[in-house]
Amino acid sequence: MAMDADAMPDKEELPGLGELSRMLQIPCPSGREERMAAHLTARLQQLGAEPRKDNQGNLWVELPGRESGPGVAIASHIDEIAMVVTAIEADGKLRVQRSGGLYPFKLGEGPVVLVGDGQDIPAHLSFGSGHTNDPTDPVAQFNSGSRGITWRDCHLLTGLTPTQLQESGVRVGTCAVPAAGRRGPNLFGPADDPLVSAWLFDNRGGSLILLQLWCWLRDAGVTPLRRLNLCFLVQEESGLLGAKGWVRRNEVETFVAVDSTPMPRGTDLTLDGRPGTWSRDSQVHFDQGLIGELAAAAGRAGTELQYAVYSAAASDATGVLQVGGAERCATIGYPRENSHGYEVVRWSVFQHLTATLGEWVASY
């Protein structure tokens, strides 16, 4: 049945959507994940977990295993792509560059928030006026189709002087993200299994799955074979740094990254509720035996995996393999349209992916 505005479910009616909505309101650019970590810590404690945190900012929950030996990690990163201030001009305008894989066309002009030292400052991303025929003007060139808008053509309007910005905790290196009112979630499509769009699922979707997985294991009374770590890691978007640091300090034999599964042109991925797994990314081949185990678990959970090969993607599992942090690694996730933008997923994928990981842990 198609959904009209009056039939749209409340955010609390779809399992997990309220949880996602609350996470969407929390700015968490790379290097400034402390508020998301605090939120997740409180939620895990409410769910009966005892989270731990290291000095890098990584957060995790440890479930004891039935046997001793190297453990297993299932991990989501908690940071998001952003803008970073590179210069403060005399009139208070801010020059910005990307942090992670963010491009101006994904955002468009609109309200953003600067994650200052101590407070958030509202601002507005601007490309400048298009009412000109000057062939050297970047907006005129964009309007004519001769080239795209790049970060050097962008600035943030703040309405504040450099002194006021400094007093507000805004400086070179401060990050900015879209304002909360632009983030969603937005529901559309069939009422019984809607599509949901938001800025950004990557990787609040992974954190949502780990919260749901904790509840799945708790309610099913599962004690894993080996020590299991559910990890919420920092700075994936700036070099897979949280994962690399965490595995250097915590011994694991198997590492599974839970992330999005992008849908570039040429892949066979669809938004039909089935999880996706990365067979190979831009840098590594993942453990095919582990992928087979996850596929079998998906079957027991009543779904099946989709498979992808990427030429321009990497996950925390990639970084773990690069530093020799685990013998076996895989990446599994939720297919999404419009990667690094207003991303779209089929909501049922989160239930299917949670159950798949639960079945895998139960039979590991």
Side-chain angles (χ1 to χ4, degrees):
M1 181 179 67
M3 183 186 298
D4 58 36
D6 294 332
M8 185 175 295
D10 184 84
K11 290 178 181 179
E12 300 298 335
E13 292 180 15
L14 287 177
L17 187 59
E19 191 83 66
L20 175 73
S21 298
R22 289 183 283 276
M23 286 192 284
L24 285 171
Q25 303 307 301
I26 303 172
C28 51
S30 298
R32 294 306 305 265
E33 301 96 336
E34 64 273 10
R35 272 183 279 180
M36 183 63 78
H39 170 78
L40 291 168
T41 296
R43 286 296 294 130
L44 288 163
Q45 290 171 339
Q46 291 169 0
L47 296 172
E50 298 180 2
R52 302 167 61 184
K53 187 178 180 182
D54 62 23
N55 289 333
Q56 192 177 14
N58 298 307
L59 182 74
W60 72 100
V61 174
E62 182 178 307
L63 288 77
R66 303 190 305 273
E67 296 182 0
S68 60
V72 174
I74 302 177
S76 165
H77 71 88
I78 63 174
D79 59 318
E80 65 175 309
I81 56 176
M83 295 159 277
V84 60
V85 175
T86 59
I88 300 176
E89 299 186 347
D91 60 359
K93 291 180 182 177
L94 305 179
R95 294 295 171 184
V96 291
Q97 185 51 266
R98 66 187 179 99
S99 173
L102 178 60
Y103 296 93
F105 79 93
K106 287 287 189 176
L107 276 168
E109 294 179 318
V112 301
V113 61
L114 289 150
V115 184
D117 297 331
Q119 61 181 311
D120 292 342
I121 306 300
H124 196 94
L125 176 63
S126 176
F127 302 158
S129 175
H131 286 77
T132 177
N133 292 320
D134 180 355
T136 67
D137 185 274
V139 177
Q141 293 172 351
F142 174 76
N143 291 341
S144 69
S146 62
R147 76 170 180 89
I149 294 290
T150 66
W151 285 115
R152 70 175 181 269
D153 307 317
C154 305
H155 58 269
L156 300 186
L157 299 173
T158 66
L160 301 175
T161 67
T163 298
Q164 290 171 325
L165 288 167
Q166 182 180 14
E167 292 172 348
S168 300
V170 175
R171 54 178 172 76
V172 170
T174 294
C175 287
V177 297
R182 304 179 68 192
R183 290 177 167 267
N186 309 292
L187 278 66
F188 57 102
D192 57 345
D193 189 12
L195 294 169
V196 181
S197 67
W199 185 290
L200 293 150
F201 278 101
D202 183 11
N203 192 27
R204 293 171 176 87
S207 297
L208 172 63
I209 290 163
L210 292 196
L211 292 174
Q212 293 180 333
L213 178 59
W214 164 262
C215 295
W216 193 101
L217 297 171
R218 180 198 62 192
D219 296 345
V222 172
T223 300
L225 177 65
R226 296 284 182 87
R227 170 176 48 86
L228 174 65
N229 302 279
L230 302 181
C231 304
F232 303 83
L233 305 176
V234 299
Q235 294 211 55
E236 189 264 4
E237 300 290 359
S238 54
L240 318 174
L241 301 180
K244 292 175 181 178
W246 189 86
V247 295
R248 288 183 183 275
R249 297 183 292 272
N250 298 273
E251 184 182 10
V252 291
E253 182 266 344
T254 299
F255 185 99
V256 177
V258 182
D259 208 331
S260 66
T261 304
M263 300 173 62
R265 184 178 301 177
T267 65
D268 294 329
L269 299 167
T270 60
L271 295 177
D272 59 8
R274 292 178 296 156
T277 187
W278 305 21
S279 184
R280 186 189 187 282
D281 68 9
S282 62
Q283 301 177 51
V284 303
H285 287 272
F286 293 107
D287 189 285
Q288 300 302 303
L290 178 54
I291 290 174
E293 293 173 15
L294 292 168
R300 294 192 297 273
T303 185
E304 63 178 347
L305 294 187
Q306 304 182 69
Y307 299 88
V309 172
Y310 295 114
S311 60
S315 77
D316 275 335
T318 312
V320 170
L321 279 173
Q322 289 172 333
V323 299
E327 297 174 15
R328 304 196 310 158
C329 290
T331 301
I332 190 170
Y334 47 94
R336 57 164 176 162
E337 285 272 18
N338 303 341
S339 54
H340 286 186
Y342 285 96
E343 298 165 341
V344 180
V345 303
R346 180 74 64 182
W347 191 250
S348 59
V349 73
F350 293 106
Q351 176 185 350
H352 295 154
L353 187 45
T354 300
T356 294
L357 289 168
E359 291 289 347
W360 179 72
V361 171
S363 63
Y364 181 78

